[in-house]
């Protein structure tokens, strides 16, 4: 009994040693690639190379740009509805299972209620108006 447990533990840790060895090889490969790149690249700093690059256009103005918060709010609303769609697909598969129909239906309406409250709050604050 003890010998079979030791064999099972050895197999268990051997599987993790393979994963650890693979992680070490991966880190060494990345370190070697970065080191080779540093040694092989030419280093000729010129004023043009040290200038900020903006999609092929010479930079104009200061480095700080003001961005309106509403763009982030739209991104946040997108994330909320993307998460909603991610939860809808598994819900649809569980909904069809025997014995889970009413429970999953109530849970989904609670979830959609939270999303609706968030959307109504954003609408009331005027976030959804593009001016």
């Amino acid at each position: 009994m003890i010998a079979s447990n030791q064999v099972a533990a050895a197999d268990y840790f051997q599987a993790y040693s393979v994963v650890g060895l693979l992680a070490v090889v991966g880190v060494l490969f990345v370190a070697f690639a970065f080191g080779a790149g540093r040694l092989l690249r030419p280093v000729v700093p010129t004023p043009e190379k040290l200038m900020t690059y903006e999609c092929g256009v010479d930079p104009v103005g200061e480095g700080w740009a003001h961005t309106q918060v509403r763009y982030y709010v739209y991104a946040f609303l997108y994330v909320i509805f993307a998460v909603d769609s991610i939860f809808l697909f598994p819900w649809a598969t569980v909904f069809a299972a025997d014995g889970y129909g009413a429970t999953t239906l109530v849970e989904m309406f609670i979830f959609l209620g939270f999303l609706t409250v968030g959307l109504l709050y954003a609408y009331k604050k005027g976030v959804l108006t593009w001016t």
Side-chain angles (χ1 to χ4, degrees), residues 104-115:
T104 54
L105 185 65
V106 169
E107 288 175 352
M108 186 50 65
F109 275 113
I110 291 171
F111 179 70
L112 291 175
F114 282 124
L115 287 177

Side-chain angles (χ1 to χ4, degrees), residues 49-66:
K49 288 184 179 180
L50 297 176
M51 189 170 60
T52 305
Y53 178 76
E54 287 187 10
C55 301
V57 180
D58 290 335
V60 178
E62 297 180 15
W64 291 98
H66 296 284

